[in-house]
Every structure is written in structure tokens, then in C-alpha cells.
């Protein structure tokens, strides 16, 4: 079974949507095998999103990710990376398909409720950034 890294973002934890978002994952056949609620510093958010360092929204993105707690998660399932991206929906909620997390919950292209790894290599790096092997309970 494949594993992917997920974040329930500050806009969603603020609105008490952790359970509603986890239900979407579970209904899609994804299992939450690790989960913790933490608050990132702006520097930690910047490290996590450093691939976007040159993008015009980088500073705003780091401020936002540090603005309230996040829920960092590892999701496991058949084709978990692609399945999670499907359940999340498009980055911009106005482009997201009906029934997806972003269509239902996201507030804007920046404050879009969830993050999900985009490839096996990034999933491995992102999981290791937040969790030790001991914390992954399949
Ligand atoms: P992630 O799963 O969070 O990586 O989203 P994604 O893969 O769908 O989008 P991408 O990696 O391109 O962008 C990362 C994050 O940057 C997005 O999820 C948004 O939170 C933010 N972002 C992307 N584009 C914009 C933008 O045009 N404006 C703002 N403010 N934020 C953006
Ligand atoms: Mg991305």
C-alpha cells in the first residue's frame, strides 16, 4: 500500500473541519496512519514550501501556514498519492470538482484547506520531515 503526506491547513483547523476532512479521506478508502496537530513557525513553513520560494505568493503562504495549528498526517491506501489529490480537488476551489474537499471547504486559492504530496519522492521527504518511523502505525 502506498503512503502520502497530508496537511489540514490553518483555514480548516480554525473552522473546526478536521473531522469533516478526515471523513472525506476515510470514505475514499484512505487510512490515517499517523496524525498530529502542531503549529509551525514561519521559518518551518518556509522550509516545507521552499520549492515555491521564488513564487510571488511565497511570503503570504508561509504567513498563512504559521497562522494557526495544522494537522500533519500520513494517509495510506491503494494509489494513495493520486487518490488523495483526487479527493482534495484542484488548487483553486473555483476549479475544484463537486464533492472534493476544496470545492466544499476551501476559502481561496491560498487558503485551500489541505495539502497533499504530488509524487512518491516528495511524499517520502515530507513524511520524514514530520514523522519518525515509530509514529507510523499502519
Ligand atoms: P499543495 O498540496 O498545498 O502543495 O497544493 P497544490 O499542489 O494543489 O498547489 P501548489 O503546489 O501549486 O501550491 C502550493 C500552495 O501554495 C497551494 O496549495 C496554495 O495554498 C498556495 N498557492 C498556490 N497558488 C497560489 C496563488 O496564486 N496565490 C496564493 N496566495 N497562494 C497560492
Ligand atoms: Mg503542491
Amino acid at each position: 500500500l502506498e503512503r502520502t503526506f497530508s496537511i489540514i491547513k490553518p483555514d480548516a483547523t480554525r473552522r473546526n473541519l478536521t473531522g469533516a476532512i478526515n471523513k472525506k479521506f476515510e470514505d475514499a478508502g484512505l487510512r490515517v496512519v499517523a496524525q498530529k496537530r502542531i503549529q509551525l513557525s514561519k521559518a518551518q513553513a518556509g522550509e516545507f514550501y521552499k520549492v515555491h520560494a521564488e513564487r510571488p505568493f511565497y511570503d503570504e503562504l508561509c504567513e498563512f501556514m504559521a497562522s494557526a495549528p495544522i494537522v500533519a498526517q500520513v494517509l495510506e491506501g491503494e494509489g494513495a498519492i493520486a487518490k488523495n489529490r483526487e479527493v482534495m480537488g484542484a488548487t483553486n476551489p473555483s476549479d475544484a470538482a463537486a464533492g472534493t474537499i476544496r470545492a466544499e471547504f476551501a476559502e481561496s486559492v491560498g487558503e485551500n484547506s489541505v495539502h497533499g504530496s504530488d509524487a512518491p519522492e516528495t511524499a517520502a521527504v515530507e513524511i520524514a520531515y514530520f514523522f519518525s518511523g515509530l509514529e507510523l502505525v499502519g
Side-chain angles (χ1 to χ4, degrees), residues 49 52 85 115-116 118:
Y49 272 126
H52 297 305
R85 301 280 300 181
H115 160 83
D118 55 17

Side-chain angles (χ1 to χ4, degrees), residues 47-109:
E47 173 64 23
F48 178 72
Y49 272 126
K50 67 184 172 194
V51 295
H52 297 305
E54 302 309 318
R55 309 275 286 274
F57 56 80
Y58 180 66
D59 193 65
E60 189 185 326
L61 175 61
C62 297
E63 286 277 358
F64 163 61
M65 290 299 290
S67 68
I70 62 162
V71 178
Q73 311 175 296
V74 179
L75 307 178
E76 183 181 87
E78 197 109 27
I81 295 170
K83 187 174 283 180
N84 181 38
R85 301 280 300 181
E86 197 179 303
V87 176
M88 287 163 59
T91 309
N92 189 334
S94 52
D95 301 331
T100 61
I101 292 168
R102 284 165 167 169
E104 284 191 21
F105 302 125
E107 301 197 294
S108 65
V109 65

Side-chain angles (χ1 to χ4, degrees), residues 6-26 32 34-38 69-73 75 101 105 113-114:
S6 165
I7 291 178
I8 299 176
K9 293 184 177 182
D11 66 286
T13 63
R14 258 190 215 112
R15 288 175 290 147
N16 223 15
L17 292 171
T18 299
I21 290 172
N22 276 346
K23 178 157 170 44
K24 293 278 196 190
F25 294 144
E26 291 180 339
V32 180
Q35 173 165 268
K36 58 186 165 194
R37 180 176 166 100
I38 52 179
I70 62 162
V71 178
Q73 311 175 296
L75 307 178
I101 292 168
F105 302 125
S113 303
V114 281

